[in-house]
Amino acid sequence: GQSLEQPSEVTAVEGAIVQINCTYQTSGFYGLSWYQQHDGGAPTFLSYNGLDGLEETGRFSSFLSRSDSYGYLLLQELQMKDSASYFCAVSGYSTLTFGKGTMLLVSP
Amino acid sequence: DAGVIQSPRHEVTEMGQEVTLRCKPISGHDYLFWYRQTMMRGLELLIYFNNNVPIDDSGMPEDRFSAKMPNASFSTLKIQPSEPRDSAVYFCASSFGTSGLRETNTQYFGPGTRLTVL
């Protein structure tokens, strides 16, 4: 089976940097993905780590350490529009298993 | 491409009624997934298809739930009879396939159907 742990909520102010951690236990692993979901919206893909290390996409970066079964999403220069839920997801052979999500609240 | 299309966007029904949710995946995607999202249980995979064939339905909660994919551009999720505990947002997603590559692992979600069973 697979299980993922991530904080339920994180708060930060505009312009700050925030890191959302994700630890996982899995019997089959291809990579770690991150999805963003605004309230009332659909999950949308942010980032994927198939290999250890850092992946950078604009203001967002994601990191994976397979040996530690650990990853994180780093959001820089926070904006109000970044207020959303962020899900880490383990990629198995065919499917994604999602964590419960971290609600990020960005305040002025 | 218009993305994954789902209908209806909202559905309110009474307990015991049949509910049918519809999904059109992105053209060319080989995989289609049905998820259910609730506050308590998060985002759960119900069933997924590869090339129109159901691969794993172990997430389907019970026999009241059924899903079909008669062709590459259409899938349905049916609940019969519906119960209040089925109230949730149901998402359909599609992807190119599976592997360790970002391009094939990425799932594209539809806007969801918000189901309320009274």
Side-chain angles (χ1 to χ4, degrees), chain A residues 86-99:
Chain A
Y86 293 84
F87 296 84
C88 59
V90 165
S91 294
Y93 178 73
S94 304
T95 62
L96 292 174
T97 300
F98 286 85

Side-chain angles (χ1 to χ4, degrees), chain A residues 22-98:
Chain A
C22 175
T23 58
Y24 60 86
Q25 290 183 316
T26 179
S27 56
F29 183 84
Y30 278 73
L32 191 70
S33 299
W34 290 90
Y35 284 73
Q36 178 191 60
Q37 184 179 27
H38 285 100
D39 191 29
T44 57
F45 173 80
L46 282 180
S47 185
Y48 174 73
N49 292 77
L51 301 173
D52 282 4
L54 194 67
E55 290 281 340
E56 296 179 84
T57 309
R59 295 188 296 115
F60 296 177
S61 304
S62 59
F63 173 82
L64 174 65
S65 168
R66 287 173 176 258
S67 60
D68 296 322
S69 297
Y70 164 75
Y72 66 74
L73 178 69
L74 190 74
L75 300 88
Q76 302 182 72
E77 301 173 18
L78 281 174
Q79 302 175 9
M80 296 294 290
K81 67 178 182 179
D82 297 330
S83 291
S85 290
Y86 293 84
F87 296 84
C88 59
V90 165
S91 294
Y93 178 73
S94 304
T95 62
L96 292 174
T97 300
F98 286 85

Side-chain angles (χ1 to χ4, degrees), chain B residues 38-98:
Chain B
T38 60
M39 287 295 293
M40 290 296 294
R41 301 176 68 90
L43 198 58
E44 304 174 276
L45 177 64
L46 300 178
I47 184 173
Y48 76 97
F49 296 81
N50 178 24
N51 292 321
N52 314 336
V53 176
I55 303 300
D56 185 354
D57 65 355
S58 60
M60 297 285 258
E62 47 197 276
D63 292 346
R64 297 184 297 106
F65 286 68
S66 63
K68 294 181 179 179
M69 191 166 186
N71 58 63
S73 59
F74 183 67
S75 177
T76 60
L77 178 68
K78 186 175 295 187
I79 308 172
Q80 165 63 19
S82 59
E83 297 183 2
R85 59 189 167 132
D86 302 330
S87 297
V89 180
Y90 291 81
F91 289 104
C92 173
S94 68
S95 71
F96 277 114
T98 62

